[in-house]
């Protein structure tokens, strides 16, 4: 389906949703306000599972995330309003500006991206990995308390946020997830 997106406070652009579920956006002008939350709501409406991962598009979930979530499935089902925070990490020294630069720094992925919790701990200990944004916005994800998360064996409740900038990656119930505020735009 291809439709012209208008009426959202921005210049017209085309959005294409292919049958595989991919979203393609064509912007002709880099100064066009980017309707990020409108697009998020389109994606959320296409979710066909009872739970969804809420993350940025450049977030790469760990290979074991699905099985980890399935292991706490009973707790999620018994508490429908429960949101499961997914800790985020990044490689140090990224600063790549193009896809090719990033690809060059990260490949082969088996050597640069930890595949296990032990690999992540080793990467953190060797100072090659850091909690997400801890180098440029230390409080943004501090509420996750990575130091506690690395060694916990049970779910832990987050009682308060340490920062107003906290935007955790989450597993949430699809039926209880509120829509995103479509008045919010990014300048691309």
């Amino acid at each position: 389906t291809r439709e012209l997106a208008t009426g959202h406070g921005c210049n017209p652009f085309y959005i294409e949703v292919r049958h595989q579920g991919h979203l393609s956006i064509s912007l002709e002008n880099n100064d066009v306000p980017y309707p990020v939350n409108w697009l998020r709501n389109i994606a959320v409406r296409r979710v066909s599972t009872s739970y969804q991962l809420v993350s940025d598009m450049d977030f790469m979930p760990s290979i074991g995330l699905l099985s980890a979530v399935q292991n706490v499935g009973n707790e999620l089902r018994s508490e429908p309003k429960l949101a499961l925070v997914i800790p985020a990490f990044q490689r140090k020294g990224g600063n790549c500006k193009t896809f090719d630069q990033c690809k060059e720094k990260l490949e082969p992925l088996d050597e640069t991206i930890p595949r296990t919790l032990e690999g992540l701990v080793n990467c953190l200990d060797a100072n090659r990995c850091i909690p997400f944004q801890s180098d440029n916005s230390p409080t943004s994800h501090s509420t996750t308390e990575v130091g506690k998360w690395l060694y916990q064996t049970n779910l832990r409740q987050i009682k308060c946020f340490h920062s107003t900038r906290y935007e955790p990656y989450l597993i949430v119930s699809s039926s209880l997830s509120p829509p995103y505020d479509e008045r919010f735009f990014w300048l691309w």
Side-chain angles (χ1 to χ4, degrees), residues 37-50:
N37 284 348
W38 179 69
L39 293 168
R40 285 175 174 156
N41 286 333
I42 289 173
V44 167
R45 284 193 298 270
R46 295 180 59 85
V47 170
S48 60
T49 57
S50 52

Side-chain angles (χ1 to χ4, degrees), residues 13-184:
F13 62 92
Y14 284 96
I15 180 170
E16 183 177 344
V17 180
R18 299 187 195 118
H19 71 277
Q20 298 93 343
H22 298 286
L23 196 61
S24 174
I25 300 164
S26 173
L27 298 175
E28 295 178 12
N29 180 342
N30 287 342
D31 295 328
V32 173
Y34 182 75
V36 63
N37 284 348
W38 179 69
L39 293 168
R40 285 175 174 156
N41 286 333
I42 289 173
V44 167
R45 284 193 298 270
R46 295 180 59 85
V47 170
S48 60
T49 57
S50 52
Y51 289 88
Q52 59 186 307
L53 171 64
V54 179
S55 71
D56 289 342
M57 63 186 247
D58 58 351
F59 179 74
M60 187 167 72
S62 71
I63 290 170
L65 180 59
L66 178 59
S67 64
V69 171
Q70 289 171 333
N71 286 339
V72 295
N74 288 336
E75 290 164 273
L76 285 172
R77 283 187 291 279
S78 67
E79 295 285 336
K81 293 183 180 180
L82 183 71
L84 187 63
V85 174
I86 308 302
F89 300 89
Q90 68 186 57
R91 290 291 300 196
K92 256 184 112 171
N95 299 326
C96 48
K97 303 293 182 209
T98 68
F99 176 78
D100 288 334
Q101 286 176 345
C102 291
K103 186 176 174 183
E104 185 178 313
K105 285 185 176 201
L106 290 175
E107 287 192 343
L109 290 178
D110 288 346
E111 295 174 18
T112 60
I113 305 294
R115 297 175 69 83
T116 64
L117 181 59
E118 180 183 0
L120 175 61
V121 169
N122 291 338
C123 192
L124 290 164
D125 287 346
N127 207 25
R128 292 187 316 268
C129 293
I130 57 175
F132 184 58
Q133 293 185 333
S134 64
D135 57 344
N136 64 357
S137 183
T139 61
S140 290
H141 284 262
S142 63
T143 300
T144 303
E145 296 181 319
V146 168
K148 289 181 182 178
W149 174 84
L150 285 170
Y151 302 102
Q152 74 187 43
T153 55
N154 296 316
L155 293 181
R156 176 176 47 87
Q157 184 178 15
I158 295 176
K159 296 184 184 202
C160 63
F161 289 1
H162 300 175
S163 169
T164 56
R165 298 197 60 211
Y166 188 43
E167 296 180 26
Y169 301 128
L170 304 167
I171 301 287
V172 296
S173 168
S174 296
S175 64
L176 296 177
S177 181
Y180 290 92
D181 184 345
E182 294 182 4
R183 297 172 296 176
F184 177 76

